[in-house]
Amino acid sequence: MNQKEEKEQILVTRASLPPFEEYEELIRSIWESRWLTNMGCFHEELREKLREYLQVSGTELFVNGHMALEMVLQAFELQGEVITTPFSFASTTHAIVRNGLKPVFCDIREEDATLDPECLEALITKDTAAILPVHVYGNVCAAERIQEIADAHGLKVIYDAAHAFGETLEKRESDGTLRRVGVGTLGDASMFSFHATKVFNTIEGGAVTWARPESAFLEDRLYKLKNFGITGKERVEYVGGNGKMNEFCAAMGLCNLRHVEDWIRARRQITERYRENLKGVSGIRFLEPRKDVDSNYAYMPVLFTGGKTVRDRVYDRLCAEGIFPRKYFYPCINAYDCYRDLCDAEETPVAKNISESVLTLPIYPELPLETVDRICELLTCNQ
Ligand SMILES: *Cc1c(COP(=O)(O)O)cnc(C)c1O
């Protein structure tokens, strides 16, 4: 078989890039300035542009989303337990444990796979310090209810918003009026990931954002933590690390930011096509995110009501056709080898069930609608 005849492989995602010349033009100045990293002008420009785009009051950039999460947890100087969801990427729980904190796993909601606030209170102990929910697939959490519970118990709320870039939702003000706010304004702080596979990328990168006045201290604290805890020419005050975003990554971010709205529009079309094609197909169900959210269409999860056997069979058949969806997230974090001694995955049955019945289907801005149709046909006849 020569290359032409070989079937094209359709992967679950494909990194978005700006036209090469755009990036080339921007990075040319780096050869003059020789300023490659350590909060250069692209870093500062991207930080400001993202603060506006994400509609938050503060933001700090990082080398990746995971370091952003580790360092924001460190910045709050938490001790004890952090309640989180087992239905997420490894990073969420690892960031807790690598801060010397104990993760406590809370089950998720059937309808959108986000942390279930109804299960929260039973998990709160005298040692609970914070809640770390995830806007999984860009499905925004029941943030109002989570905040009520957190406030009643004096807990911090830090969101893993790695999937939720650019999303907005409705907020009811104390005078009753509704206002649209950036998802990164929720809780005490939020973490975004700009990894190559995300809706918006800086090759590798991440950010912490906040809106509450009480979180304003993060600006100074995070800046120092990501630069080894150095606070002066001859002074080191914190046990920090290296979390800095370099100029090449920041420049990529500046280019990609010009295109991200077009990309989200294309993702929306693809999502609508999938939903239209698969609507009413027996054995398949969708998650139903909150209606007040302006989505970024980051992922295309479908659930097989026949469970793991059906899901795995469909997965294998799609792969045989050169289409590679992901079992994302399977297994749940509380079933990982490294956390097995800490918890029992049976205690979060909804998360276990969703992880065993979900496939995330290919979605990226250039994915042709005809390919979406072909994938849907395979899904419909292969169950
Ligand atoms: C991608 C991701 C992360 C980690 O982000 P990186 O930028 O890859 O370090 C954390 N949490 C979730 C839910 C993610 O999807």
Side-chain angles (χ1 to χ4, degrees), residues 20-29:
F20 178 69
E21 297 70 26
E22 251 182 58
Y23 186 58
E24 188 186 27
E25 193 188 313
L26 208 56
I27 62 173
R28 199 176 294 277
S29 67

Side-chain angles (χ1 to χ4, degrees), residues 63-67 69 88-92 134-136 160-163 191-195 197-198 204-206 299 328-329:
V63 63
N64 57 52
H66 181 78
M67 281 313 286
L69 192 54
S88 182
F89 184 53
S91 168
T92 316
V134 180
H135 303 305
V136 67
D160 180 334
H163 295 178
M191 175 278 280
F192 289 90
S193 163
F194 310 145
H195 184 255
T197 55
K198 305 295 208 272
E204 293 255 18
Y299 298 87
Y328 198 56
F329 298 99

Side-chain angles (χ1 to χ4, degrees), residues 6-11 319 321-324 364 374:
E6 214 171 285
K7 228 185 230 155
E8 189 198 358
Q9 295 203 338
I10 307 290
L11 305 184
C319 291
E321 292 288 329
I323 292 157
F324 297 92
Y364 46 87
R374 186 158 71 87

Side-chain angles (χ1 to χ4, degrees), residues 134-150:
V134 180
H135 303 305
V136 67
Y137 306 130
N139 296 349
V140 175
C141 294
E144 299 78 1
R145 186 73 192 111
I146 291 171
Q147 194 63 55
E148 265 175 28
I149 296 168

Side-chain angles (χ1 to χ4, degrees), residues 39-40 85 87 114 121 145 150 171 196 252 277-278 287 290 311 321 324 332:
M39 289 61 102
T85 158
F87 192 69
T114 65
E121 250 168 340
R145 186 73 192 111
K171 181 179 183 210
M252 181 62 83
N277 286 346
L278 296 174
L287 293 173
R290 297 166 54 137
R311 190 273 306 267
E321 292 288 329
F324 297 92
C332 282

Side-chain angles (χ1 to χ4, degrees), residues 101-113:
L101 298 158
K102 183 177 174 229
V104 173
F105 294 101
C106 179
D107 211 354
I108 58 174
R109 307 199 293 178
E110 283 281 357
E111 67 264 33
D112 63 3

Side-chain angles (χ1 to χ4, degrees), residues 12-13 135-139 162-164 193 197-199 267 271 274 295-302 326 328-329 359-363:
V12 70
T13 189
H135 303 305
V136 67
Y137 306 130
N139 296 349
H163 295 178
S193 163
T197 55
K198 305 295 208 272
V199 168
R267 286 174 172 279
T271 303
Y274 269 124
S295 175
N296 64 9
Y297 308 94
Y299 298 87
M300 184 61 225
V302 291
R326 286 278 309 272
Y328 198 56
F329 298 99
L359 278 187
T360 54
L361 303 176
I363 184 165

